[in-house]
Amino acid sequence: MHSLLHAAETSSAPSEADWLAVVVAAIAVIVAAVAGFYAKRSADAADKNVTAAERSASAAEVSAAIAKDSVSIAKDSAYASSVSANAAADLLRVELDRLHNEYEPKKNGEWLFVPHNRHPDHRWLQFRFKLDREYLVLATASATNDTVTTVCSVTPPGQPDDWWLVWVEDWSSDRDHSAWRELTLRFWPPQARVGRARPWNCVCGRQLDPGEGDTAAHWDFEVDVKPPESYDLMASLG
Ligand SMILES: [Zn+2]
């Protein structure tokens, strides 16, 4: 029995080479398992990353859409306020222009060129007119070629229904024609210092004061210089 056992032990005992093969195989299995485990884990992590990336991409899309909407809403409301601001400005402009037009000088009776004795022996060609409102008036006479002009002195009316007098030209010798072709009358709302006028304002935005006379007038008229041809008429008006 002993010998049999021994023989069996002897015959069944693995050789060193067999052990080595078993160990190598076991190590290979372990390595494969570990490798598999890590591969799985990185695959899972990659999945998670992909999902997270997908989620954050989708969140970014939503935010972008919201931002786009907000920009669009902001644009709409900016547009709406600019439209209403423009509409208000347009209405105001229309109203100011209407008031400006309402104040436009209107002829009150005839506008006449007459020779007039400014001094007892000094005759002048005078342009006289009446207005239904008080103004500040500047007058300029121009010659045919428009390059020669002169500023005419203007006498405001002493009473509300009196004549405005524009001293157009020295008419002391017996003359029947004027050196001037056109008279330009320029009107501003009156300032306190002008004659007896009570000041009032036009709100159109043009300057209220003519300054040195070169700012834009609120209104201007051009009148052809047409002295009366008949000295009888002149005598009757003089
Ligand atoms: Zn005006």
Side-chain angles (χ1 to χ4, degrees):
M1 183 67 195
H2 174 79
S3 64
L4 185 68
L5 180 65
H6 179 80
E9 279 175 355
T10 304
S11 65
S12 65
S15 66
E16 273 185 22
D18 288 342
W19 277 113
L20 190 61
V22 168
V23 167
V24 167
I27 287 171
V29 166
I30 289 164
V31 166
V34 167
F37 172 77
Y38 280 107
K40 174 87 169 57
R41 205 165 75 158
S42 353
D44 286 352
D47 277 353
K48 277 183 195 148
N49 285 343
V50 167
T51 310
E54 275 173 1
R55 276 203 208 108
S56 72
S58 140
E61 272 169 22
V62 169
S63 313
I66 289 168
K68 203 174 159 190
D69 283 353
S70 310
V71 167
S72 157
I73 288 166
K75 272 185 189 164
D76 284 353
S77 78
Y79 176 71
S81 23
S82 80
V83 164
S84 59
N86 286 345
D90 286 351
L91 280 177
L92 181 62
R93 187 69 260 165
V94 166
E95 179 57 14
L96 296 181
D97 287 347
R98 191 188 64 76
L99 289 170
H100 170 84
N101 292 338
E102 224 170 63
Y103 294 148
E104 184 179 30
K106 290 171 189 71
K107 275 168 72 171
N108 177 7
E110 277 203 279
W111 295 29
L112 302 169
F113 282 92
V114 292
H116 180 83
N117 285 340
R118 196 171 186 177
H119 305 292
D121 56 350
H122 199 172
R123 188 170 282 255
W124 272 71
L125 178 64
Q126 181 194 79
F127 179 64
R128 52 171 72 176
F129 58 94
K130 290 181 181 178
L131 298 171
D132 61 357
R133 184 188 282 271
E134 294 170 330
Y135 294 89
L136 185 161
V137 181
L138 296 184
T140 312
S142 58
T144 317
N145 59 11
D146 255 352
T147 56
V148 183
T149 62
T150 188
V151 175
C152 306
S153 87
V154 177
T155 306
Q159 300 293 324
D161 59 347
D162 267 0
W163 299 96
W164 280 84
L165 307 175
V166 179
W167 304 94
V168 181
E169 190 175 24
D170 187 326
W171 201 259
S172 48
S173 52
D174 287 346
R175 294 174 62 175
D176 57 3
H177 71 279
S178 174
W180 307 113
R181 181 182 61 91
E182 204 166 63
L183 189 64
T184 303
L185 303 175
R186 301 160 71 208
F187 299 85
W188 284 262
Q191 308 297 301
R193 67 172 187 275
V194 179
R196 51 166 299 285
R198 287 185 303 274
W200 54 269
N201 285 340
C202 179
V203 290
C204 72
R206 289 173 182 82
Q207 275 192 243
L208 293 176
D209 194 297
E212 297 300 311
D214 53 4
T215 62
H218 282 247
W219 306 273
D220 49 64
F221 292 144
E222 314 230 307
V223 184
D224 286 341
V225 176
K226 283 179 181 169
E229 288 172 11
S230 157
Y231 275 78
D232 292 341
L233 175 63
M234 288 157 59
S236 73
L237 289 167

